[in-house]
Amino acid sequence: MSEMSDATGPETRGEVVTIRPKGPVIMAAVMFVIAAVAVVYAFVVDAGVGVTVLGPMILLAALAWLLLANPHVEVSDSWVRVVNPLRTYEVPLSALRDVATKWALTLATDDGTVVAWSATSPSGRGAMTGRDDKQRRTDRTSVPRSAIRPDGTISPSDLSGTDSGDAATAIRTRWESARTSGALDDRSGEPVRTHLNLASIGVVVVGIVMTVVSVLV
């Protein structure tokens, strides 16, 4: 699932495209609802029970956010941002050397490899269901040139509609365009930046502490 901000389509220059898988977000929403209902019901039954349940439910919701809802990939005309559970990576297109999708979206850069938690490739069985060689050849018109293999086919993990394929297509499209236009010629040496997702980690820690306290009290 992709989200686009401040623009109407992927071809509009200057926009930031966000690729966030739908399945994990739905799972996270279900967990949020379960946590909220459990807390409300517990407090209705008894305030003491509510306090006991509050910590574990905060932890459940925090983990749902950390592992399922928050991880995503953002792509602009000059950089790629990979938000993983614990770390966020900001990769300038000038530092990008390769885009792979064998197991998950993997960016090879001058400073090492960045793997996107949210953009995993489909399983071998799922990738092949209804996706024969002929269809993979047909789908090649919808992907950037660099995604097409020497035999004219496309890897199942590069196909549109897959988490890894959608993210890779967005990145390759911007990357190829930037290289062709010469926009990256004077931007060599830009480093990959990374930082911890301290706010998300902090909420998880609070949930753990509250759960331990509720068990001991």
Side-chain angles (χ1 to χ4, degrees):
M1 181 175 69
S2 62
E3 305 165 3
M4 291 169 286
S5 59
D6 301 327
T8 57
E11 72 283 355
T12 305
R13 292 191 61 80
E15 74 175 3
V16 175
V17 178
T18 300
I19 302 95
R20 192 189 307 268
K22 184 182 297 184
V25 172
I26 293 175
M27 292 175 60
V30 171
M31 294 172 70
F32 293 154
V33 171
I34 291 174
V37 171
V39 170
V40 171
Y41 179 76
F43 272 102
V44 168
V45 172
D46 181 79
V49 174
V51 171
T52 301
V53 170
L54 183 60
M57 292 303 99
I58 289 178
L59 178 58
L60 176 65
L63 289 174
W65 168 259
L66 185 76
L67 302 177
L68 299 173
N70 190 44
H72 62 276
V73 176
E74 298 176 8
V75 188
S76 81
D77 288 338
S78 57
W79 50 260
V80 178
R81 179 178 293 119
V82 177
V83 180
N84 285 341
L86 300 182
R87 284 187 175 274
T88 293
Y89 300 86
E90 295 181 1
V91 182
L93 291 184
S94 60
L96 193 58
R97 294 295 169 261
D98 188 34
V99 179
T101 59
K102 185 175 182 180
W103 306 112
L105 175 69
T106 303
L107 307 180
T109 76
D110 294 334
D111 298 321
T113 300
V114 177
V115 179
W117 174 281
S118 65
T120 56
S121 63
S123 65
R125 180 179 178 183
M128 294 306 297
T129 302
R131 294 281 189 172
D132 57 16
D133 185 69
K134 181 179 179 180
Q135 184 166 359
R136 292 202 297 274
R137 288 180 183 275
T138 303
D139 284 345
R140 66 183 177 177
T141 59
S142 64
V143 300
R145 184 178 305 173
S146 57
I148 302 174
R149 298 186 292 196
D151 63 356
T153 62
I154 303 168
S155 168
S157 57
D158 280 327
L159 291 171
S160 61
T162 63
D163 295 339
S164 55
D166 288 344
T169 294
I171 295 169
R172 286 175 174 140
T173 299
R174 299 296 183 90
W175 187 33
E176 290 180 11
S177 176
R179 287 189 299 176
T180 300
S181 67
L184 305 182
D185 291 348
D186 298 325
R187 303 184 62 177
S188 61
E190 291 182 298
V192 174
R193 295 183 174 86
T194 178
H195 62 81
L196 287 172
N197 300 331
L198 295 178
S200 297
I201 295 172
V203 175
V204 172
V205 171
V206 169
I208 293 174
V209 172
M210 292 184 66
T211 299
V212 172
V213 170
S214 67
V215 171
L216 295 179
V217 171

